[in-house]
Amino acid sequence: AALPAGIGRGTVQALHAAGVQVVAVSRTQADLDSLVRECPGVEPVCVDLGDWEATERALGNVGPVDLLVNNAGVALLQPFLEVTKEAYDTSFNVNLRAVIQVSQIVAKGLIARGAPGSIVNISSQASQRALTNHSVYCSTKGAMDMLTKAMALELGPHKIRVNAVNPTVVMTPMGQANWSNPQKAKTMLDRIPLGKFAEVENVVDIILFLLSDRSSMTTGSTVPVDGGFLAS
């Protein structure tokens, strides 16, 4: 789970409604508290996924886990000439390294049990198109798309599928914070054939599809939820 109305929370709500036993990971205890009140039975884990050792302690014995959604992400926007070491480190630690770490933990558990599984990485249209002030963010997501393919290659023989979802701007607190300027929003909307940003539900529907057996022959793919942005 991520922000109050974020993709992570929407995914947990949908999985919980479908009767799935969910472990929700967030660095924000208050968000987990309200989530558990809303979805009784969800197991909360409060940890900053940017911290390798803390993540190992928090999730090392989690499970058994069959399905994983790697959703945690940060967007620290800076002009290229002003990119800082701190922004780089935080962005790559959370957006990429944590995906490797958590996926290793889950995949090792699946392989030890001889169980099939599905992993979904939440990427972005920014993995495939350059956006102003997004040089580090775009780079983390470009790396995530390739990591998704590499994981699919190596985990496929173990019957573990790995796919990425690449949304356009989504109307979450993070999306609203970065795209609230009407002029900035218009330049992006003008490049989206469907003429609108994504709702959380649009992204969650694709995540559920990729987690489910309905997509049993799909792995190593990047699935846009972008209103046609990447086609334009």
Side-chain angles (χ1 to χ4, degrees):
L3 294 153
I7 294 168
R9 193 180 189 91
T11 302
V12 172
Q13 290 164 338
L15 289 170
H16 181 258
V20 177
Q21 173 62 45
V22 181
V23 178
V25 182
S26 172
R27 63 180 175 178
T28 311
Q29 187 65 52
D31 288 349
L32 289 170
D33 292 343
S34 66
L35 182 66
V36 171
R37 283 195 297 272
E38 197 182 328
C39 302
V42 168
E43 181 187 332
V45 176
C46 191
V47 66
D48 180 355
L49 291 170
D51 182 331
W52 182 281
E53 289 72 26
T55 298
E56 190 63 44
R57 288 193 299 272
L59 298 177
N61 295 314
V62 78
V65 176
D66 299 298
L67 309 170
L68 170 64
V69 180
N70 287 306
N71 169 73
V74 293
L76 304 177
L77 309 190
Q78 299 171 323
F80 171 72
L81 294 175
E82 295 168 28
V83 168
T84 61
K85 176 180 186 291
E86 290 72 27
Y88 175 92
D89 287 345
T90 300
S91 299
F92 271 91
N93 287 352
V94 174
N95 294 7
L96 191 74
R97 194 182 71 184
V99 175
I100 293 174
Q101 183 183 19
V102 178
S103 298
Q104 280 179 339
I105 292 169
V106 169
K108 284 174 182 172
L110 286 167
I111 292 165
R113 282 155 48 216
S118 177
I119 299 174
V120 176
N121 297 329
I122 308 305
S123 184
S124 169
Q125 66 181 17
S127 69
Q128 299 170 42
R129 295 287 186 280
L131 303 174
T132 306
N133 298 340
H134 284 66
S135 56
V136 172
Y137 183 76
C138 286
S139 298
T140 65
K141 296 304 189 178
M144 176 188 258
D145 283 4
M146 185 47 74
L147 175 66
T148 299
K149 297 183 199 311
M151 286 170 59
L153 183 71
E154 293 194 35
L155 297 178
H158 300 287
K159 296 188 170 51
I160 300 169
R161 296 184 299 108
V162 188
N163 294 285
V165 177
N166 300 61
T168 183
V169 176
V170 186
M171 288 294 94
T172 64
M174 182 163 125
Q176 284 159 349
N178 286 333
W179 296 90
S180 54
N181 179 324
Q183 196 133 27
K184 182 178 172 183
K186 185 182 186 310
T187 57
M188 177 61 74
L189 288 167
D190 285 345
R191 297 171 66 184
I192 298 175
L194 292 183
K196 59 184 179 182
F197 291 145
E199 298 295 336
V200 171
E201 178 189 6
N202 303 141
V203 183
V204 171
D205 284 343
I206 297 294
I207 294 170
L208 296 182
F209 169 69
L210 291 171
L211 289 176
S212 79
D213 291 338
R214 294 282 178 96
S215 60
S216 60
M217 197 56 189
T218 300
T219 194
S221 74
T222 52
V223 182
V225 185
D226 67 350
F229 173 84
L230 291 172
S232 67

